[in-house]
Amino acid sequence: MTDKAYTRPDLTLTLDEDGVIQKVVTAESLAREPLDQWRGRRWGETIDPAIDSLTLKKIEDVRLRGDPSCFQVRQRFPSGLELPMEYTTFSLGEAGFIAIGRNLEAISELQARLQLAQEARERDYWKMREIETRYRTLFDATTEAVALVNVPDLRVVEANFRAAKDLYLSPGAPFLPQLSQRDRRALDQLLEKTREQGRAPGIVIQPTPSAGLWSLRASLMNAEASAVFICQLTPMREADNASHASGVSIASFIDRLPEGFVVIDCDGIVRAANGAFLDLVQLGAEVAAIGSKLTRWLSSPGADANVVMALIRKHGDLRRFQTRIDGELGQSTPVEITAVGDDADAPNYFGLLVRDIRHASGQPSREVADRGLSIEALDNRTLEAIVRMSTEAIERKAILAALEQCNSNRTAAARQLGLSRQGLHAKLKKYGLERK
């Protein structure tokens, strides 16, 4: 019954073949309109004069050829009321045609409300983006180490730069896994009280064996997925990495060291890096490297980051291990790695000194190229590294020979070697022969 009422038209016009209204049938919503005045008038006279030519053509097609059509117009009523109407026309042959109309005012109002709702939603979206930007700026700019920790499993959801750099916290990792039993009990009590009351008094803990004492405060925040702890950690005394005897800052030396230096954890994730290492991997800031695996750049087969860590675990340290670093922008640099773990038996962290051997005095690869390969020069190298060194040695000699035969004419030398001039230039740069 409801469906029948819903499909009932608001207005039905019977017109003759000239488009003159003969009969009008209305629904209750238009019952007060004196529509008898329309009888004997042309239908087009009752429609908004702003009607477009396409609709007029459709009306004429119905009148002249009997083609059924459906179109929307603005219908004027005798009382002065104007309503948006949708008409569907059917031909009756020589008897004329019928136009069945439905009031679109409710639909138009719904569309307007939908438009307003969409605009309001878009405004809310941009407000949320602005709030998120402010939150992100404050989150990263604070001098405290801040971490969001998932309540059910105590895993890190998010950590700011200070927390990642000083406490090695990263998304998905357990929160402070290296706590002593005493500090672990204190943390559990703190989080239990925070879960019950929303906030709890701070405690003093030692987050890692080498971190010193830090104060920890926690509060509860309800997130969309699940509740999280907001954990704020502040060092009781700012570490200066200095020797008390001499007052010399070790960190400043490492930061300004011309050789690359990087600290990774037992999973191979970067925890700290100096500027020289960032230059090797072609990154502009330390924050871009922290949290990424070293295998992202140190991935040569048989000489990747996992091999480096395995050798350190086996021998306690690693000396002059040759491999390659692949930068973010495509630069591949031959390097020599000297490394050690934080513990001789079971290291949790590894410090790697990464030396660019292209700029080293007495460069091994160049010595090999000039003097020929020797067993001593190939000590501690993988088969893949030995093959690469042999190829580079032969390639470098061939380039030098071609330049000598062509009297340093690079175009002729490139043609003789079967290279483009740009290709030869890249080889010269690779082997440090630009001035040859």
Side-chain angles (χ1 to χ4, degrees):
M1 191 72 181
T2 303
D3 294 340
K4 290 182 179 180
Y6 179 78
T7 58
R8 185 179 303 160
D10 296 293
L11 183 63
T12 304
L13 303 177
T14 303
L15 304 99
D16 62 16
E17 58 183 359
D18 294 323
V20 177
I21 299 174
Q22 302 296 319
K23 184 178 179 182
V24 181
V25 178
T26 66
E28 294 181 2
S29 59
L30 297 174
R32 296 184 180 181
E33 290 289 338
L35 297 182
D36 289 340
Q37 299 178 15
W38 283 1
R39 292 178 182 173
R41 295 180 60 187
R42 294 182 66 85
W43 183 25
E45 297 175 0
T46 68
I47 298 174
D48 191 326
I51 185 172
D52 58 81
S53 58
L54 181 60
T55 302
L56 285 174
K57 184 177 183 306
K58 287 183 177 181
I59 294 175
E60 284 298 307
D61 288 344
V62 173
R63 188 176 67 83
L64 297 176
R65 294 196 294 271
D67 297 339
S69 62
C70 182
F71 51 87
Q72 295 179 6
V73 298
R74 190 146 190 95
Q75 181 71 64
R76 293 184 303 182
F77 290 87
S79 66
L81 176 68
E82 292 187 4
L83 293 177
M85 300 286 290
E86 182 181 71
Y87 283 103
T88 303
T89 60
F90 299 95
S91 174
L92 298 177
E94 295 181 358
F97 60 94
I98 292 177
I100 300 174
R102 179 173 296 283
N103 183 2
L104 298 180
E105 188 175 37
I107 297 176
S108 299
E109 182 181 355
L110 184 61
Q111 289 176 338
R113 290 171 62 185
L114 178 61
Q115 178 67 24
L116 290 174
Q118 288 176 336
E119 292 175 358
R121 183 178 179 181
E122 187 172 353
R123 287 194 298 270
D124 291 341
Y125 168 77
W126 287 111
K127 285 180 181 178
M128 289 297 297
R129 286 291 302 271
E130 183 179 358
I131 292 171
E132 183 179 354
T133 301
R134 291 178 181 176
Y135 150 75
R136 175 59 55 192
T137 302
L138 292 173
F139 188 71
D140 290 333
T142 180
T143 57
E144 289 185 317
V146 181
L148 303 184
V149 181
N150 195 29
V151 171
D153 57 10
L154 296 185
R155 287 189 173 272
V156 177
V157 176
E158 196 169 357
N160 70 349
F161 177 69
R162 181 78 187 270
K165 184 177 186 299
D166 293 349
L167 302 176
Y168 313 125
L169 298 178
S170 59
F175 181 59
L176 302 179
Q178 300 184 60
L179 289 178
S180 65
Q181 292 185 358
R182 181 181 64 83
D183 286 347
R184 174 62 60 186
R185 288 193 296 269
L187 176 63
D188 291 342
Q189 292 174 4
L190 170 72
L191 297 181
E192 182 63 30
K193 187 172 293 186
T194 302
R195 189 183 290 109
E196 294 173 355
Q197 302 177 5
R199 189 180 293 274
I203 60 173
V204 176
I205 59 173
Q206 187 175 7
T208 67
S210 59
L213 297 178
W214 290 58
S215 70
L216 169 63
R217 305 189 309 278
S219 56
L220 188 66
M221 180 180 72
N222 290 320
E224 183 177 351
S226 63
V228 296
F229 293 117
I230 304 176
C231 297
Q232 300 167 264
L233 297 103
T234 308
M236 301 297 292
R237 182 178 63 84
E238 287 291 341
D240 56 3
N241 297 315
S243 165
H244 295 292
S246 62
V248 177
S249 174
I250 298 175
S252 65
F253 282 98
I254 293 176
D255 289 339
R256 295 187 295 110
L257 197 67
E259 310 291 357
F261 185 79
V262 61
V263 176
I264 60 175
D265 63 17
C266 57
D267 294 321
I269 296 175
V270 175
R271 297 307 183 182
N274 70 351
F277 178 80
L278 298 177
D279 291 340
L280 287 173
V281 298
Q282 297 180 295
L283 290 176
E286 185 182 15
V287 67
I290 289 177
S292 299
K293 286 201 170 187
L294 187 59
T295 49
R296 175 175 169 181
W297 310 287
L298 191 62
S299 57
S300 297
D304 61 11
N306 294 323
V307 173
V308 170
M309 290 189 293
L311 290 172
I312 297 173
R313 289 190 180 102
K314 182 177 180 180
H315 301 292
D317 59 23
L318 183 67
R319 300 185 185 187
R320 304 187 66 181
F321 179 84
Q322 293 198 358
T323 180
R324 302 186 76 86
I325 287 281
D326 297 318
E328 293 289 312
L329 303 180
Q331 174 181 291
S332 183
T333 307
V335 295
E336 187 176 76
I337 295 176
T338 298
V340 69
D342 63 336
D343 184 85
D345 297 324
N348 291 311
Y349 298 95
F350 305 89
L352 284 69
L353 185 67
V354 185
R355 184 174 178 233
D356 182 351
I357 59 177
R358 295 176 307 173
H359 305 145
S361 59
Q363 181 179 186
S365 59
R366 191 167 299 177
E367 288 180 2
V368 169
D370 293 339
R371 299 180 311 186
L373 294 174
S374 65
I375 298 299
E376 292 78 7
L378 301 178
D379 285 347
N380 298 323
R381 289 175 174 82
T382 64
L383 181 60
E384 189 268 343
I386 292 172
V387 171
R388 183 174 62 249
M389 289 174 61
S390 304
T391 303
E392 290 177 351
I394 296 170
E395 196 173 63
R396 186 173 186 274
K397 283 188 175 182
I399 291 172
L400 286 172
L403 287 171
E404 185 177 352
Q405 292 174 14
C406 298
N407 296 319
S408 298
N409 186 321
R410 296 187 178 183
T411 302
R415 189 181 302 114
Q416 179 175 318
L417 293 168
L419 298 172
S420 65
R421 183 175 175 82
Q422 293 82 359
L424 177 60
H425 178 74
K427 297 287 186 182
L428 293 173
K429 186 175 181 181
K430 176 180 178 181
Y431 298 119
L433 302 175
E434 295 96 331
R435 298 183 182 179
K436 293 287 183 180

